[in-house]
Amino acid sequence: MRPRPPPPRTDPSGEDESQFLAQYDPGAFEHPSVSVDVVLLTVRDGGLASLVCKRASHPHKGRWSLPGGFIGMGESLDQAATRVLRSKGGLSRVWLEQLYTFGALGRDPRTRVISIAYYALIDAARLQAVETSDALALARVSVPWEGEAGGPVELLDEEGEPLALAFDHADILGMAVRRIRGKLDWAPIGFQLLPREFTLLQLQNVHQAILGRTLNKDSFRRRMLASDLLRPTGTRQAGVGHRPAELFRFTQQSAV
Amino acid sequence: MRPRPPPPRTDPSGEDESQFLAQYDPGAFEHPSVSVDVVLLTVRDGGLASLVCKRASHPHKGRWSLPGGFIGMGESLDQAATRVLRSKGGLSRVWLEQLYTFGALGRDPRTRVISIAYYALIDAARLQAVETSDALALARVSVPWEGEAGGPVELLDEEGEPLALAFDHADILGMAVRRIRGKLDWAPIGFQLLPREFTLLQLQNVHQAILGRTLNKDSFRRRMLASDLLRPTGTRQAGVGHRPAELFRFTQQSAV
DNA sequence: AAAATAGTGTCTATGAGACACTATAGT
DNA sequence: ACTATAGTGTCTCATAGACACTATTTT
């Protein structure tokens, strides 16, 4: 397969830079479309769940897809991802990070679309107000592999039936799961999935949901307390039917 | 700052998908330009070095830049990065991985350019045949921070003077250094910077060049020999002026 | 009192760093 | 013989897992 040669960067020489810029024609070559897609993850019922939209129009009409949209000429990539979360889910101040850029040739049947994927993490409680629409759902993520080596993942509806995903969005979701599994042990990302005050057991449950396996309680406690990421609030749980646990806060800024 | 709303994805309803695709007009909205930039790194003189090109045309004419080029409509992102390495450096079969996508608004003075950055690793011996042109150089990377937290890095010429870098390429280089420092301990990337057969000391020197600090010899040996990534060849160095070290090979495929 | 989870103390296995020692090439 | 690096054996320290035990709340 011979790729088409790149558009030349040369110019009639002898100009200065301002002259060059005044004459530059960005439409001289065909450009791909560029979009962002956002994997919004939360922890619900002991497992990961992701926000998906039902496609109302072609292509892949009726299938489920990650919230996304084309990049505007006047917004940065981060701004575009933030806008998508606000317009599709009404969410703001969500922790967000770039994931990977997908640009395979046939990934969108319309035309060449390059998509910069982001992933976002949010406390499940903040999603209560948002959803249960016909076109917007929070679907359970089913990861058919362990550790950080694996491909696409499945999304399941309430009955546990697989949802049909549009485009390469199952691959994007799989990449997001690999990324947060890999970062969990050395970056403070578990906190983004919890309310501002939480117990160590809640934090452990978040880690277990991300990793898809159980963790050793003692070792987890020690590691977290030694990490300098937690600050005890001095208060405790109330009305829990057993000895109440101490509440902690994340020491850093929680929302971006 | 209010970002421009995204182009609508809706269509006149009632069509089927093939009708929709036949009528789809990808030029209906303005698209950004999309390019790839490649950080080609090697280890030379105990430190990292990167391949850079002197810009022959505006913008930033005369400054040094990462090898890059616009994406062709008929090539994937990986193919574009591979093509850039072949056309600018004459290199093929180089280990290559996507790094990050840079899309800030003012990063290119011509127009909106979104650049998917890649990083590539290569044995310094393979670069001997390539360079020493007036427009192509291998510049020493000077990292002004330790660990994986830091911003841009500098490139130095043979006299140790900083090179003027075009666009946001100092940031891209900094991101590449952070990435390989972070991956070094759990991914087999040091091997890509060595010839097919190498000694443990050579491997340690590569790790030290990447991390910018010295490592414990005993611990490094043990860790590597226990890692299942090395296969002893049974042969030894010759003509080295001291006890010759055993030669090893990387157990996995070395070139992509 | 029973149930359920919170939290502590201690033992053990593992891996990294430190250090001393032996081995083997060229000069 | 001398020098420089290769490679081995052993000690110590830090951390994770395992396990036993005590503590505190609601029902």
Side-chain angles (χ1 to χ4, degrees), chain B residues 50-57 62-68 87-89 130-139 163:
Chain B
S50 174
L51 188 73
V52 281
C53 314
K54 188 176 270 181
R55 286 191 58 78
S57 48
R63 300 178 88 125
W64 293 88
S65 69
L66 297 172
S87 66
K88 302 253 176 165
V130 176
E131 36 151 354
T132 50
S133 131
D134 196 38
L136 198 66
L138 193 62
L163 295 179

Side-chain angles (χ1 to χ4, degrees), chain A residues 103-162:
Chain A
L105 284 183
R107 60 180 296 278
D108 192 309
R110 285 170 288 191
T111 180
R112 182 74 194 280
V113 179
I114 292 167
S115 181
I116 296 120
Y118 277 75
Y119 67 108
L121 305 176
I122 195 171
D123 168 24
R126 290 184 60 196
L127 281 177
Q128 300 291 359
V130 175
E131 37 153 351
T132 51
S133 131
D134 197 38
L136 198 67
L138 193 61
R140 188 149 66 86
V141 178
S142 164
V143 183
W145 32 266
E146 293 180 3
E148 293 162 47
V153 298
E154 273 196 338
L155 287 186
L156 307 178
D157 63 15
E158 280 82 37
E159 285 79 37
E161 293 299 310

Side-chain angles (χ1 to χ4, degrees), chain A residues 162-195:
Chain A
L163 295 179
L165 277 171
F167 309 111
D168 51 2
H169 289 188
D171 294 304
I172 299 179
L173 270 160
M175 177 83 80
V177 172
R178 285 201 299 279
R179 176 73 58 90
I180 63 171
R181 282 190 178 179
K183 284 194 82 162
L184 188 60
D185 275 341
W186 53 273
I189 64 173
F191 308 99
Q192 314 304 337
L193 294 159
L194 287 168

Side-chain angles (χ1 to χ4, degrees), chain B residues 233-249:
Chain B
T233 62
T235 58
R236 295 174 158 268
Q237 285 179 307
V240 282
H242 54 77
R243 173 172 173 179
E246 183 162 18
L247 292 168
F248 291 85
R249 281 194 188 176

